[in-house]
Amino acid sequence: MSLFPKKGKSKEEIAQLIRAKKSTDYNWRNGKLFCSVYDGGDEIQEVVKDAYMLFLSENPVDPTLFPSLRDMETEVVQMSAEMLQGEEAVGTLTTGGTESILLAVKTAKNRAKLLHPEITQPEIILPYTVHSAFFKACDYFDIKPIITGLTEEYKADPEAIQKAITPNTIMIAASAPSYVFGVVDPIAEIGKIAEAHDLPFHVDACIGGIVLSFNRIGNLPETPSFDFSNNGVTSISMDWHKYGYAAKGCSVLMHVNRDYRKFQFFVCTEWTGYTLVNPTILSTKSGGPIAGCWAAIQYLGMDGYVQLSKDQMATTKKIIKGINAIEDLYVMGKPEVSLLSFTSDSISVYDLMDAMVDRGWFLQFQLSSDYSKANLHMTIAKAHKETADQFLLDLAEAVKQVQKKSLLKKVGSKATVKTAVALANNLSPDNFNKLGKLLGFSNGKVPETFATVNEIMDTLPDATVKNTLLEYFNDFYTYKEKR
Ligand SMILES: Cc1ncc(COP(=O)(O)O)c(C=O)c1O
């Protein structure tokens, strides 16, 4: 039977059906979610939604038809340039951090193509904690990632970057801050290296650029410098759809000047259709995110953002202090923006994550790496000011629960882990089904608990994890009757 409805439904019927679907989702409005959604409260949401809906169908692909979108975009970009202290800086709005990063890498590649045609296998230098979007860019654009090490504070190591430069290097990247630990890489030092080698230097400030800028503007002590005031920085990505509280689908990619931005644009004269000049990857898109972002800025204003950033930093400090006061836990490094990760030397953070999910909290699990133990990650937004105390109380309780049951649980899960590892290491379709049944993810289900799944992922080699995830998501994104 076809899934496609033969006859259209009424507005009311559709609203009912779609709400029923939505009822299965996580309710992020409770201030208990620490990733994926930036909850700025109902009022800002309303303002953004109204502006977004006004431009839902308008298409910025042709700015001559919708000059208001061009105006709002260039205004947001100019305000971003002011925040980032780039006197000659220009930019474009993109659909998110990933698109901004893809374009920053594409810009460097096109620049190298013109200035260094002798480079046949371009390389970019990526400190260990850069966001996965850089690896995606390497995959899409056939660039070799050269990964460099970290200092003890989990920051990019400038000496390692210097050593990694070869005649094939086309760009250096760093984070302000890294998503993983919330610490800002030494931008000034890396900028000097980039400048000395005439290399583009991209600062990924996707998650932290807005908070850092307003902390500087609000004179918050110890705000690290990361923007165009550092020599050598040639581009910066900053996401308005994160701490800017704009709607999803809005980031800005800024270049130090117009000469750099030219390498970002794509002009097509080869095809026989309409003239196409695309500043960004997408062509047709909704004007909603541009209008929503512009409206968010008008609503909050400089004072609003300074206050929000201050509040978020205060909540983060409170949570850091509270976590460090729990005997079994500690925060990793010294977070400089409103995000953090914590771990334990004595209890299982895999189990702790499940114990927190039982209490309605959702944190993000980060696997162990060459530089860090498995840990739990939190992105702290406006809404968490109200819930931070309860979070710390529940966390302390969850730790006690894990302390009590960890001995019992380990004996039980060891056999499961061993079987699962053996199946994943030999992933035939039959073994994939068995693995799904064992871990509770068969038929596109999301496992009810994650401790064992995370423990297994942490045990397996990267290639096996990749392969298993690929199989799982290939299944997950298939219509349920066809799985
Ligand atoms: C530092 C950093 N860079 C890039 C990104 C990717 O942004 P997006 O999810 O908007 O594509 C993120 C997302 O959290 C991030 O934290």
Side-chain angles (χ1 to χ4, degrees):
M1 204 179 77
S2 170
L3 187 63
F4 212 106
K6 185 156 168 48
K7 289 202 169 80
K9 297 183 176 65
S10 70
K11 232 171 97 175
E12 293 72 27
E13 230 179 320
I14 295 165
Q16 215 174 25
L17 287 170
I18 209 155
R19 273 175 213 288
K21 282 202 181 291
K22 200 165 193 295
S23 67
T24 61
D25 295 349
Y26 186 90
N27 172 21
W28 55 267
R29 291 173 194 275
N30 58 10
K32 290 182 138 189
L33 177 69
F34 288 100
C35 57
S36 303
V37 178
Y38 295 74
D39 184 359
D42 290 346
E43 223 169 280
I44 176 88
Q45 266 250 320
E46 281 303 309
V47 172
V48 171
K49 202 159 49 177
D50 286 351
Y52 192 109
M53 294 316 287
L54 202 61
F55 284 87
L56 180 73
S57 305
E58 279 67 13
N59 187 351
V61 77
D62 188 346
T64 60
L65 284 177
F66 307 110
S68 65
L69 283 172
R70 195 277 317 267
D71 284 354
M72 283 189 278
E73 172 164 356
T74 53
E75 284 174 33
V76 172
V77 166
Q78 182 53 33
M79 291 185 271
S80 305
E82 278 172 38
M83 287 163 64
L84 298 171
Q85 305 190 87
E87 258 174 46
E88 293 178 37
V90 291
T92 30
L93 290 185
T94 70
T95 54
T98 299
E99 190 184 358
S100 291
I101 289 169
L102 289 175
L103 282 170
V105 174
K106 181 238 180 237
T107 302
K109 191 175 179 192
N110 281 19
R111 177 181 179 270
K113 221 169 140 183
L114 184 79
L115 301 183
H116 300 286
E118 73 284 1
I119 298 179
T120 53
Q121 176 53 82
E123 298 171 357
I124 58 176
I125 298 179
L126 303 176
Y128 199 79
T129 45
V130 291
H131 192 269
S132 57
F134 288 98
F135 294 95
K136 187 187 257 186
C138 288
D139 189 41
Y140 282 13
F141 305 138
D142 194 19
I143 293 171
K144 190 171 168 194
I146 305 292
I147 301 161
T148 57
L150 305 180
T151 64
E152 279 180 0
E153 297 95 46
Y154 303 110
K155 295 189 179 202
D157 178 0
E159 226 178 277
I161 290 174
Q162 171 78 53
K163 278 193 196 140
I165 295 173
T166 74
N168 290 331
T169 307
I170 61 159
M171 182 179 122
I172 299 173
S175 314
S178 69
Y179 181 83
V180 192
F181 300 114
V183 296
V184 177
D185 288 336
I187 303 302
E189 274 174 88
I190 302 171
K192 276 186 202 144
I193 297 170
E195 202 176 28
H197 291 267
D198 190 27
L199 284 169
F201 174 28
H202 180 77
V203 176
D204 174 9
C206 280
I207 198 158
I210 290 175
V211 177
L212 284 168
S213 296
F214 289 114
N215 284 348
R216 175 186 61 75
I217 292 165
N219 297 316
L220 201 78
E222 295 172 32
T223 302
S225 170
F226 75 101
D227 57 25
F228 289 117
S229 59
N230 294 284
N231 288 344
V233 173
T234 54
S235 56
I236 301 178
S237 46
M238 182 168 82
D239 295 354
W240 282 100
H241 68 192
K242 294 189 169 82
Y243 286 110
Y245 294 103
K248 299 272 182 300
C250 197
S251 166
V252 69
L253 173 60
M254 302 295 302
H255 296 280
V256 67
N257 57 39
R258 279 201 208 195
D259 287 345
Y260 268 89
R261 187 173 61 172
K262 267 196 259 173
F263 296 111
Q264 177 193 314
F265 287 12
F266 176 74
V267 183
C268 185
T269 50
E270 285 83 353
W271 88 311
T272 45
Y274 55 83
T275 310
L276 186 128
V277 183
N278 280 159
T280 57
I281 295 177
L282 299 189
S283 233
T284 284
K285 55 188 170 188
S286 168
I290 298 174
C293 180
W294 186 89
I297 296 173
Q298 303 305 319
Y299 177 74
L300 286 166
M302 183 90 81
D303 291 350
Y305 279 113
V306 167
Q307 190 58 48
L308 263 179
S309 302
K310 225 182 232 173
D311 287 352
Q312 283 156 177
M313 292 306 290
T315 310
T316 308
K317 284 206 171 109
K318 180 189 217 174
I319 292 178
I320 291 175
K321 202 167 156 205
I323 291 174
N324 285 334
I326 299 174
E327 207 182 306
D328 287 282
L329 304 180
Y330 61 92
V331 171
M332 303 167 90
K334 291 201 174 92
E336 292 162 294
V337 188
S338 38
L339 40 148
L340 62 97
S341 299
F342 64 94
T343 190
S344 173
D345 292 336
S346 45
I347 61 164
S348 155
V349 288
Y350 310 107
D351 286 339
L352 186 58
M353 169 81 182
D354 279 352
M356 287 304 277
V357 170
D358 278 349
R359 289 165 173 77
W361 301 95
F362 199 90
L363 294 86
Q364 219 170 28
F365 188 83
Q366 298 190 131
L367 298 178
S368 65
S369 73
D370 290 352
Y371 289 87
S372 52
K373 300 164 68 82
N375 60 79
L376 302 182
H377 185 278
M378 301 172 71
T379 304
I380 291 140
K382 179 178 187 280
H384 300 122
K385 188 177 174 180
E386 307 301 325
T387 57
D389 288 326
Q390 190 57 48
F391 168 78
L392 290 169
L393 288 174
D394 282 358
L395 185 65
E397 229 185 61
V399 166
K400 279 192 200 140
Q401 182 193 338
V402 173
Q403 281 166 341
K404 269 194 216 146
K405 76 170 209 187
S406 62
L407 264 178
L408 290 171
K409 185 141 196 257
K410 261 189 192 138
V411 179
S413 67
K414 242 185 191 163
T416 311
V417 173
K418 203 171 156 201
T419 313
V421 168
L423 291 169
N425 274 326
N426 185 11
L427 204 64
S428 61
D430 192 34
N431 281 354
F432 178 72
N433 284 337
K434 284 184 188 155
L435 191 63
K437 281 196 186 118
L438 184 71
L439 301 179
F441 66 68
S442 48
N443 204 22
K445 273 199 209 109
V446 177
E448 276 174 22
T449 57
F450 282 94
T452 312
V453 176
N454 285 330
E455 196 175 343
I456 290 159
M457 287 215 289
D458 231 356
T459 313
L460 290 166
D462 278 0
T464 312
V465 174
K466 252 187 204 179
N467 202 14
T468 313
L469 287 174
L470 207 63
E471 287 296 338
Y472 173 64
F473 281 98
N474 205 8
D475 193 49
F476 186 81
Y477 281 113
T478 304
Y479 174 59
K480 66 174 183 279
E481 304 301 332
K482 290 176 88 180
R483 271 173 216 149

